[in-house]
Amino acid sequence: MVKGMSLSNGVSSFIMNHVRQMVTDPDFQCDFLVVTDIGSPYYDELKSYGCAIYFMPSYTRHPLQVVPFLRKVFSNQHYDLVHCNVMNSASPILMMAKRYGIKVRIFHSHATQNGDTKWKQARNKLFADLTIKYATANFACSKLAGDYLFGKDNYYEIPNAIDTTKFKFDENTRQKVRDKYHVPSNVKIIMTVGRFTTQKNPMYIVDIIAELKKQDFNFVFWWFGDGELEGDVKKYAEAKQVTDVIKFWGSRIDINSMYMAADVFILPSLFEGLPVVGIEAQISGLPTLLADTVSNETKIGKYTEFLPLDNPACWADEIKKVAKIDHNIVGASVDTSTWNIVKAAQRLKKLYAELIFESHKDL
């Protein structure tokens, strides 16, 4: 179960990375329940694996359709487990899963905060507490995310693993991308990847860009992602007079090549669980600057720093300092052992089997 399957979504990346490994097992079948359908290039890929995709009726527009819809899904199929990757929409789904005899019901924490405003946090805490009641196992992407939602030592930690070979730095790829988009060798590319939401702190990113532009620094900023605040961010960039140095790319399927073309990755989020993009950037050989709100478990190499969110000029200074570091030096300092998707998918599949086995012991 997922909220949406956009390209610029870390949860979507986590799921697709694991599904691609698991579908090779003839004993594994995975269907998807999507809460908010905004379209996705992943749908065709998932269907090619034999995955069914169900789209939830809107909780706000069609609330009376939700329970009948879930009843139909769960009564027509036999599922051994439900793996829920959303915070505030999960409780009725896990409740119905329990009613229809699905004994393994997983609630997965992907963040260290459940809303970007006080009232959303209060509302979502009520939903989360109810979801925990119906869950039989708790997963978390990091210690911070797990402790936040479930309390200490009350969850399985599941790393946001990736295909490390796909993101390993390649000089030829770097040069091809920079040549294709006419970026001279003396121009530094600073980049970020993420949805245009309050959580990702996009206005602060514009402030950082504005600080960089004030200084004697030859750069362009590549921004990957989409979301509800995109129009507001572009207006703010115009007001700050920085649109000439920003390239808004939207969501890209070839993001691994884009990392290799860049020189620094930044992510000044207000909160994160353990961002997949931070792992991807480091494995791609990029010096990586993260907000000090992000779990320190994200640091897997020597050239990753955590900065406060009270001084955009500080970020600009640090970007200038690390932009000259060679990709191969950064890549050599990175420990990829925990993040190998082949091993991680094997561990997750084994955990699924153990949870299913345990759930049938008392039958």
Side-chain angles (χ1 to χ4, degrees), residues 65-229:
Q65 296 180 18
V66 171
V67 170
F69 168 82
L70 293 172
R71 185 184 296 122
K72 183 177 180 181
V73 170
F74 290 135
S75 63
N76 288 347
Q77 302 291 337
H78 171 75
Y79 293 112
D80 295 299
L81 65 81
V82 172
H83 187 158
C84 174
N85 293 280
V86 298
M87 179 82 72
N88 62 350
S89 309
S91 52
I93 296 168
L94 291 193
M95 179 186 70
M96 292 296 289
K98 180 180 180 180
R99 182 176 298 178
Y100 281 89
I102 302 174
K103 295 188 174 299
V104 180
R105 301 178 297 277
I106 299 165
F107 188 20
H108 196 144
S109 175
H110 289 277
T112 55
Q113 193 170 307
N114 60 7
D116 50 36
T117 64
K118 292 293 184 183
W119 79 266
K120 284 184 180 179
Q121 290 175 29
R123 178 200 65 185
N124 292 345
K125 185 180 187 307
L126 293 174
F127 288 132
D129 289 345
L130 189 57
T131 304
I132 290 170
K133 175 183 175 183
Y134 290 111
T136 60
N138 303 323
F139 285 8
C141 64
S142 68
K143 287 184 172 60
L144 275 181
D147 290 352
Y148 169 74
L149 196 58
F150 307 120
K152 289 186 180 296
D153 303 320
N154 193 29
Y155 54 88
Y156 298 94
E157 191 172 349
I158 310 297
N160 286 344
I162 66 172
D163 182 348
T164 54
T165 58
K166 178 180 174 181
F167 288 90
K168 184 176 174 58
F169 177 69
D170 178 72
E171 182 64 45
N172 289 332
T173 300
R174 172 179 171 82
Q175 203 53 53
K176 284 179 182 177
V177 174
R178 292 177 71 98
D179 288 347
K180 181 178 180 179
Y181 297 109
H182 311 292
V183 182
S185 59
N186 65 330
V187 174
K188 299 297 183 182
I189 299 174
I190 318 304
M191 71 176 286
T192 194
V193 181
R195 292 168 294 119
F196 284 89
T197 62
T198 301
Q199 176 195 350
K200 301 299 181 180
N201 211 5
M203 305 305 183
Y204 191 79
I205 294 175
V206 175
D207 291 337
I208 293 170
I209 297 168
E211 289 294 335
L212 271 176
K213 190 177 177 182
K214 290 178 186 176
Q215 304 181 25
D216 184 22
F217 186 56
N218 197 5
F219 79 103
V220 293
F221 193 91
W222 284 6
W223 205 322
F224 298 91
D226 46 39
E228 60 266 26
L229 294 182

